[in-house]
Amino acid sequence: MTTEGERVNSLMSLLKRRGMIFPAFSIHGGVAGLFDYGPVGGRLLRKVQQEWREHWLSKGNIVEIDSPTITPDSVLAASGHISAFNDHASECNACNAIFRSDHLVEEFHQNPDSLSGPDLDAILTTNNVACPSCKESDWLASRPMNLMFGTRIGATRGGRQAYMRPETAQGMFLTYPMIQRHFRNRLPFGAIQVGKGYRNEISPRQGMIRQREFNMAELEYFIDPETDASHDFTKWDGIEFNLIPDPAGGQQNETKMGISAALNENIIRHPTVAFFMAETFDFLINIGANPEKIRFRQHESDEMAHYATDCWDLEMLGSYGWIECVGIAHRGCYDLGAHEEATNSKELRAWREFAEPIEIDKEVAAAVGAVIGPAFRQQAGLVTQALSELNDLPSAFPFDLNLSDGTTVSIEENMVEIKRVQETIRGEWFLPHVVEPAFGLDRIIWHILDHGYEMTEKEGEEYLILHLTESVAPYEVVVLPLFEKDGMDEVANQIQRDLLKLNGIGVYYDGSKSIGRRYARADEIGVPWAITVDHTTIEDGTVTIRRRDDQLQIRISQDDLAQHLQNGTLGSLY
RNA sequence: GCGAGCGUAGUGUAGCGGUUAUCACCGAGCGUUGCCAACGCUUGAACCCGGAUUCAAAUUCCGGCGCUCGCACCA
């Protein structure tokens, strides 16, 4: 019986020993929260990223973009990250406990998030706020703790403040105009980005679960909130999802439920959110996650960002317990709206054509600038505005006009020109809503390694196997000469060269040490197929194929091997 | 950030004032072997970093860095 802790250590040793994933910069002492993907892990990461890309790009209305990681501060100020990631911490002088300062002063201030350090300290002192831990009221000066890595753009003095992006999402929001143009302005559409994100964590823990630089993959899906968002869920008929709904919705506990049932009962509040939950589930199953170890947990109302209307975490069960690996959030129009407000850009909106165009045919009193100007001087602008907002035209002159500054002026006949305005309003500009599935790839990779990790025994010896699916296995196949003599090594080398010509197939050669040992090494990095070249190969060209998961071997010709490998149908031969 | 424990070959470890730093797996080479970590021979590889105490430090002390756990923070 191994404990979870032993299992984690055993897996981490394996990952390091076999060049998968290991702490970075270790010969310089190491840096917490930074990891290398090695010669084997690099392939794993790339394949997971590629599976993820294909999963979404194959929907047809989703494109991939790639944005800079260095981001000027104004972008992150608009998105809310600078205030959200610039919290202050206060330390209790009596017991050394640390708390977020804004949380401590919550009941004494409306918007503590906006306060400066000295303001926070003043509130702590004047209100004698007690330490939640030891009840004393003896606070050290608060310190800012910025979770973003800062940098400056420009090599000389001065320059512009910038940060390493804490998420990739801003790239999709800021390139929205180009994405919209690409799709000929037709919602819904989405954009994905795979790349690094950075958070200067106070104390990274739990191996590669919380890192300072990490691989993210995010999708922003833009929809018209007034268009019917229903999806076809028949694909998931019969699949039960593990759901933990927000207790505020009435449902208390974890339940198993079909995706459309959850939607019909309004547990999932939006069809597009439900759709992406189900698609995300499919993606994880495709790369080998265990469906029993996946659940969705709905954010409680007070946990949710204020602009979000529904938010679900996908959690995966592994040696660290249930860990959030994907967040699927309905973000409303918050992000596009925030950038619009910060920049006054008119490009972040979508056009919605009305079913029936609105015909306008009315008479208006247009201001005659040449008269209004000299007559009202500073107030001329207000007068012009008030005239344009006039709904009922005056029946006679002069008439009184109320201005927005509270004063009333008298309008003479020569000050206005009665005009007939005819126009057709065919639609309106609006801020699209966004559904955002955000994936932490390193966490997902950890969990598929964890789910696939088998510690077993073979003839009394510990035997380790990584059961990775072919879609993400770092190498699809290894070629092994039974012995490196009698021409078997030349044939094996030739087979490796031939198989490497196949698209997307990773092949390595191993001729070192006994055949059993080489099978064992391949099992440890999750190679699903081992090709062995033996004496029969020299005679008739056939090779044996060993399946990792049950170690069964069959013999086929080299041509068939190439065919089946390329088509991914080797399993059908068994 | 605080507190506790820990840091020895690629991995897992023994040693806890004086050893040529233990053992196993591991890796490389050669030989043998007709398919699942075989065997034999040869060989490779470590005391986290810096300072102090001492005739002598992997071992004791101090500082740093890192790891694990708890608290806090974070998702």
Side-chain angles (χ1 to χ4, degrees), chain A residues 214-254:
Chain A
F214 46 95
N215 291 288
M216 316 181 76
E218 295 187 293
L219 161 59
E220 306 299 330
Y221 195 73
F222 299 98
I223 56 177
D224 179 345
E226 293 186 7
T227 299
D228 174 33
S230 58
H231 287 83
D232 179 7
F233 290 102
T234 52
K235 193 170 145 193
W236 295 282
D237 281 350
I239 297 183
E240 302 266 274
F241 292 78
N242 299 314
L243 302 179
I244 306 180
D246 175 8
Q251 266 283 0
Q252 287 299 323
N253 300 311
E254 178 160 356

Side-chain angles (χ1 to χ4, degrees), chain A residues 173 176-178 180-181 336 340 344-350 429:
Chain A
F173 299 129
Y176 172 84
M178 290 69 182
Q180 168 163 252
R181 175 191 287 256
L336 290 173
E340 177 179 84
N344 291 321
S345 168
K346 303 234 185 309
E347 297 185 89
L348 299 176
R349 290 182 173 243
W429 294 98

Side-chain angles (χ1 to χ4, degrees), chain A residues 25-94:
Chain A
F25 309 117
S26 60
I27 70 168
H28 280 270
V31 181
L34 299 177
F35 287 84
D36 282 315
Y37 282 82
V40 178
R43 296 184 64 97
L44 172 66
L45 171 63
R46 205 201 66 216
K47 288 189 74 174
V48 170
Q49 289 173 329
Q50 197 52 30
E51 284 293 314
W52 190 87
R53 284 191 176 96
E54 290 306 321
H55 186 82
W56 302 114
L57 294 177
S58 68
K59 303 290 170 239
N61 65 339
I62 292 175
V63 288
E64 178 172 14
I65 66 156
D66 195 88
S67 302
T69 58
I70 297 173
T71 309
D73 61 347
S74 61
V75 171
L76 296 159
S79 68
H81 285 95
I82 288 189
S83 56
F85 278 67
N86 237 334
D87 300 318
H88 286 259
S90 293
E91 181 172 351
C92 172
N93 199 24

